[in-house]
Amino acid sequence: MITNDEGIVSFKHKVIEEVARLAWNDELEEDYFDKLVYKLIPGPKASFRCCIYKERELVRQRIRLALGKCPTPEKDEKSKNIVQVLDPACDECPIASYVVTDNCRLCMGKACLNSCQFGAITIDRNRSHIDPSKCKECGKCAAACPYNAIAHLERPCKKSCPTGAITYDEDGLCMIDEEKCVQCGHCIHSCPFGAISSRSYLVDIIKEIKAGKKVIAMCAPATEGQFGKDITMASIKKALIDMGFADMVEVGLGGDMTAAFEAEEWTEALKEGRKMTTSCCPAFINMLKKHFPEQFENNKSTTVSPMCAVSRYLKYTNPGCVTVFIGPCIAKKAESRDESIPDNADYVMTYGEFRALLRSRDIELTPVEDEYQEASIFGKRFASSGGVANAVIECMKENGVDTSDIKLRKCAGGAECRQALLLLKAGRLPEDFIEGMMCPGGCVGGPSKHMAENEISRAREALLSNADGRNIKDNLKDYPMDKFSMYRDGHIG
């Protein structure tokens, strides 16, 4: 996939790949930092930044992220966030949000100067100037200028954040308010300087495999179509087993499980006239928990996500196993670290990290003849906007519930989710249920998707057209659903 940050992403994944190679070869010695730094940035000239010294420092920080740490030891002591800022890379954006352009005519009316209440604007021989230390970013000067000479330069990381979690310090460096951050990861690929990234747990996964533990991969429903129409779930399963994983299960099965239990909750809520939200998107759940705590307590489904459902199923049927989720989602990394949800996935890797892990073992994804399907088509479509709600309603229908009058609000993207929750909080939501997905298009449009969405969509439809027509309830009869919990707190029954 060609993106605005393709060079950044490629280099980031190269660092992860090289760290993984060292881990496979038991070469993570004390001096590996400098060896790898100089291998990746040999010099003498810089390739990306102003100098090789900054490039090498950023590689050091990326190595720490590849080890599951913060970019610096100082941040390790105070930050628990999955999403992290690499400060040396965050110094190229403009500090001021409002700047005067060449359109300035030095007009006699001085509308900009007269509109500013904070003394931030001065006039010299050539144009107006805005002092960023005094500017309060109210935008009145831009609105007042008759020549549209004042531009609003909103930094891309801040613009992409759906919860206002990004601010800047006095030096203009990005800061993430962890009390507001929902770990969606949208800021990561929005930054054109690669200044924001996430922790990786590939080294931990490799250590578990090398220790002889039964490590089982769980592939997200969004996986089908990510690598083209010829790469099926069976293809990915074979590659993972070749790499050392004991097995792989498609998390579309967890979609069936989640839909079945949410259907029971929705049916009860419908009788009570109580509105509910879905529970599968961790970034949406974080938005609820941090920004709408009352609705988190009163309106959120208590059913676990498909990732957690499959992890609990695997831990019941394979005691002592280690579960690893693979998908397009950054927030899933945070969900796996949430101690309030027992027996969740032990580790999470993105598609980019998965590809880096494959390269570290010189393994390629190839078409295979074997067929593999463990989920209904409804579970498989959990990854698309509307897919969760459609699966839940399908379960309700299979249970004999009349769903003809149900009103749904399908939200895809931070703005839509926030608007729906504001209406819910105000008691003005006309719909009965909210399907909340923080990424546009649903999980298939997640921040770590492998290809462009239109390419994924074409390949995905080709693959899903081969799925059989099993329904959800019949599919789940083959699984011990009464032996593990489908509730966030871990209770059974």
Side-chain angles (χ1 to χ4, degrees):
M1 177 181 69
I2 298 176
T3 64
N4 292 334
D5 61 343
E6 183 182 15
I8 297 166
V9 171
S10 297
F11 188 78
K12 175 178 71 175
H13 292 160
K14 181 63 177 175
V15 173
I16 294 172
E17 175 191 338
E18 293 298 329
V19 170
R21 285 184 186 276
L22 292 173
W24 285 119
N25 297 328
D26 295 321
E27 294 176 352
L28 288 178
E29 304 164 354
E30 290 185 4
D31 63 346
Y32 75 91
F33 259 62
D34 280 339
K35 286 183 179 179
L36 185 51
V37 166
Y38 279 85
K39 177 182 178 181
L40 293 170
I41 307 293
K45 294 182 178 180
S47 300
F48 309 104
R49 313 282 175 176
C50 60
C51 64
I52 59 170
Y53 308 108
K54 177 180 281 191
E55 289 185 349
R56 286 171 178 165
E57 173 57 24
L58 284 168
V59 170
R60 291 186 180 93
Q61 295 195 11
R62 288 203 177 279
I63 292 173
R64 287 183 57 85
L65 286 173
L67 295 171
K69 300 177 181 180
C70 290
T72 63
E74 294 77 18
K75 288 190 176 184
D76 270 329
E77 297 176 3
K78 59 185 179 181
S79 175
K80 295 183 178 180
N81 236 39
I82 293 295
V83 180
Q84 292 286 322
V85 178
L86 290 80
D87 290 344
C90 185
D91 62 356
E92 300 294 340
C93 283
I95 295 176
S97 287
Y98 286 90
V99 296
V100 181
T101 70
D102 289 339
N103 283 353
C104 180
R105 301 291 91 188
L106 284 177
C107 58
M108 294 177 64
K110 296 181 175 55
C112 58
L113 180 66
N114 295 329
S115 68
C116 182
Q117 301 175 6
F118 309 104
I121 296 180
T122 56
I123 310 290
D124 68 12
R125 287 186 58 186
N126 299 312
R127 67 168 68 175
S128 298
H129 285 281
I130 299 174
D131 184 344
S133 66
K134 296 179 180 179
C135 178
K136 304 299 181 184
E137 301 185 8
C138 66
K140 290 184 177 179
C141 58
C145 178
Y147 288 101
N148 296 318
I150 300 178
H152 183 202
L153 302 181
E154 188 173 12
R155 288 167 69 165
C157 56
K158 186 173 184 177
K159 186 176 181 179
S160 70
C161 179
T163 59
I166 292 181
T167 56
Y168 310 103
D169 66 13
E170 63 273 11
D171 297 315
L173 297 180
C174 173
M175 297 191 303
I176 298 175
D177 185 340
E178 297 184 15
E179 295 300 314
K180 294 181 179 180
C181 178
V182 297
Q183 312 270 19
C184 65
H186 290 173
C187 56
I188 292 175
H189 290 285
S190 75
C191 177
F193 300 105
I196 308 178
S197 194
S198 68
R199 306 189 201 207
S200 175
Y201 298 97
L202 294 196
V203 171
D204 296 302
I205 296 167
I206 292 168
K207 287 180 179 178
E208 302 279 24
I209 293 173
K210 288 177 67 66
K213 293 185 181 179
K214 192 171 188 177
V215 183
I216 304 176
M218 308 181 297
C219 278
T223 303
E224 286 178 288
Q226 290 285 340
F227 306 103
K229 62 182 178 63
D230 296 322
I231 302 301
T232 62
M233 282 290 195
S235 303
I236 294 168
K237 187 172 187 174
K238 180 183 182 301
L240 286 163
I241 290 173
D242 289 346
M243 199 188 305
F245 284 79
D247 200 358
M248 186 213 83
V249 176
E250 64 167 323
V251 178
L253 169 64
D256 288 341
M257 294 173 174
T258 295
F261 277 75
E262 281 200 354
E264 294 180 8
E265 287 190 287
W266 283 26
T267 300
E268 191 63 30
L270 202 60
K271 293 177 182 177
E272 298 172 358
R274 179 167 52 91
K275 299 178 187 296
M276 286 194 67
T277 76
T278 53
S279 62
C280 59
C281 174
F284 176 72
I285 294 302
N286 288 338
M287 177 180 274
L288 264 171
K289 188 174 184 177
K290 293 185 176 185
H291 298 270
F292 300 89
E294 185 177 343
Q295 286 64 47
F296 175 81
E297 294 295 332
N298 298 331
N299 303 102
K300 172 189 59 63
S301 166
T302 61
T303 303
V304 294
S305 70
M307 175 180 83
C308 184
V310 173
S311 179
R312 288 181 178 177
Y313 156 65
L314 290 173
K315 288 175 185 288
Y316 170 74
T317 54
N318 300 270
C321 74
V322 175
T323 55
V324 179
F325 179 83
I326 302 171
C329 184
I330 299 296
K332 283 294 183 186
K333 293 183 179 183
E335 182 190 337
S336 72
R337 298 287 169 224
D338 189 340
E339 295 179 356
S340 70
I341 312 175
D343 293 324
N344 208 338
D346 294 297
Y347 304 103
V348 169
M349 72 171 93
T350 64
Y351 293 134
E353 291 167 342
F354 169 55
R355 295 283 293 186
L357 192 63
L358 288 172
R359 291 194 299 272
S360 74
R361 298 295 281 169
D362 299 316
I363 295 172
E364 294 185 1
L365 293 174
T366 56
V368 299
E369 295 297 326
D370 295 341
E371 294 183 2
Y372 169 75
Q373 180 178 342
E374 206 150 2
S376 74
I377 189 63
F378 296 96
K380 288 175 174 289
R381 290 194 181 279
F382 240 64
S384 301
S385 178
V388 177
N390 291 341
V392 174
I393 288 178
E394 167 63 20
C395 280
M396 294 172 77
K397 290 177 179 177
E398 291 178 19
N399 291 334
V401 178
D402 181 8
T403 62
S404 58
D405 293 331
I406 289 179
K407 296 178 181 177
L408 288 172
R409 192 180 188 98
K410 301 171 185 178
C411 304
E416 290 185 10
C417 289
R418 185 173 183 82
Q419 182 183 32
L421 293 177
L422 285 170
L423 289 171
L424 179 63
K425 181 178 180 178
R428 296 170 52 200
L429 183 75
E431 293 84 10
D432 301 304
F433 304 111
I434 297 173
E435 179 197 84
M437 291 187 169
M438 196 62 67
C439 295
C443 302
V444 291
S448 292
K449 59 184 178 293
H450 181 62
M451 299 191 302
E453 288 178 51
N454 60 338
E455 295 177 284
I456 295 171
S457 179
R458 286 195 297 269
R460 184 172 172 76
E461 287 307 311
L463 290 168
L464 295 186
S465 67
N466 296 320
D468 63 39
R470 70 184 73 176
N471 67 28
I472 296 173
K473 285 188 68 177
D474 286 344
N475 192 39
L476 294 182
K477 288 178 181 178
D478 297 330
Y479 299 91
M481 298 304 298
D482 60 335
K483 301 299 184 181
F484 58 92
S485 174
M486 283 296 296
Y487 301 101
R488 287 175 69 89
D489 61 6
H491 81 273
I492 299 177

